[in-house]
Every structure is written in C-alpha cells, then in structure tokens.
Amino acid sequence: MEPTTESTDASIRRGVPQGSETRVAALYWEAFGRKLGAALNPPDKARAFLAAHLHHDRGVVALVDGEVAGVAGYQLDKRGLTGGGAGDVLSTYGTLRGLPRLALLALLERRPADGELVMDGIAVAPEHRGKGIGGLLLREIAAVAAEHSCRRVRLDVIDVNPRARALYERHGFTAVRTEKTPYLRDLMGFGAVTTMRRPITQDAATNRREAR
C-alpha cells in the first residue's frame, strides 16, 4: 500500500449536503456494492434507492472544490446514514423480490450497544485516495462519538477489503472478533466479517475543536 499524505484541499463537514445525494450514493455503492449487491441489485436501482433514503444528519463528508470526495456514515438513536425500511424495499423491488432482499439486509444489520457509535461505512472517491481523507473522516467520527458521550466506535470490515482494515488499524481500531460466513461467499462475495473497535475519550472532541 502506498503511504498516505495529509490532504490539504479537503474540508470536513457534518451532514450530507442537499443536492449531493446521488454522488454520496454512488460513492457508497462503489465501496460496498459487492457486499450489498445481492440485496439491492441491479446497480442503477440500488444507487437510486440509497440516494432516496439517506439520513442526511448521519453522515460526515469531505468536500474538495465543493464536491463530495468522501463520506462516512454512522448510527445513533437507531438511525444510520442509509435508510429505507421494509415498506420502501417492497415498494421498490416488489413483494416477491423484496422479501428475500429484506432477509439479506437483516443479515447485515448491526445495532449499537449502550455507549457505542456504530459506523455504517466509509467511502472515498478513487481519485482522492491516498490524500489522508479517510483519516480526516475517522477523526470527525471520533469527535461525534465523544460529543454524544460514546465510549467507543465500532465497525465491521469484510475479509475482501484489506485496504479498509489497514486504514482502521492506523487510526486506533483493533479487531475484537471475526465471524466466519462461508454461506455468504457465493452470495455476497465475502467469507468473514471482523468487528473492530476504537475507544473514545473526551479528548477526541477537544482535538477536533483545536484542529479547526
């Protein structure tokens, strides 16, 4: 992996800007389409579904020249970046095709424990990778967690995404368990999911304010 350098042209803001839903959905799908494909394919419909059901206040974005270059989603108070309930899935895909999709999405669902912020995922546009944007987004997520009195941030990373795992490890996440999922390898393209955690102190919020 090439070494990363701190980005000098990206600004970090909380909340998905109005009008950038399609862009954010495309970035999210590029990063996680392999994982979500069986539940939301075909890709065009999946991206439209994600864009239509984003929770704008559950994302942190990196902007470069006014365009979203990266996004990180998180769950708090039972709401995450990617929304859309059972009714939305059935309305979009139909009852017969929608019901098995709901079952697949349920396999991927992760709920926060008390005092825990769960990340939905992080995605950076290919042309902006290697500039430190992922680290900036993770730093802001840590600040969000600290401001909500969370003791830790939790995320899941699949075995076919070693680049993401390396990023998380560089920013203080450690693996706590790995769940083998061989039954999902043919269906969703991965055979194991590793849960990682990063402890959070109130210094995260302080460091964020001082960095601005």
Side-chain angles (χ1 to χ4, degrees), residues 25 28 43 87 117 130 133 170 187:
Y28 199 85
L117 181 148
I133 287 177
R170 288 199 304 273
L187 187 61

Side-chain angles (χ1 to χ4, degrees), residues 4-12 62-64 128 130-134 136:
T4 60
T5 58
E6 192 74 7
S7 175
T8 59
D9 56 0
S11 60
I12 303 298
L63 299 176
V64 176
H128 292 293
K131 301 177 181 179
I133 287 177
L136 294 176

Side-chain angles (χ1 to χ4, degrees), residues 82-126:
T82 54
D88 300 307
V89 173
L90 296 178
S91 175
T92 300
Y93 294 94
T95 302
L96 290 178
R97 295 182 178 181
L99 288 174
R101 293 170 187 269
L102 288 174
L104 292 174
L105 290 172
L107 289 174
L108 301 174
E109 186 143 2
R110 298 291 187 269
R111 290 295 183 187
D114 290 340
E116 185 175 69
L117 181 148
V118 171
M119 283 188 61
D120 281 337
I122 186 169
V124 177

Side-chain angles (χ1 to χ4, degrees), residues 14 74 76 115-117 138-153 198-209:
R14 295 184 188 179
Y74 59 91
L76 277 174
E116 185 175 69
L117 181 148
L138 288 173
R139 184 185 303 168
E140 192 70 11
I141 290 290
V144 171
E147 291 169 19
H148 285 82
S149 300
C150 294
R151 298 187 299 274
R152 65 184 180 229
V153 175
R198 173 186 169 177
I200 296 296
T201 67
Q202 291 306 305
D203 291 342
T206 302
N207 292 340
R208 184 249 186 184
R209 288 192 295 269

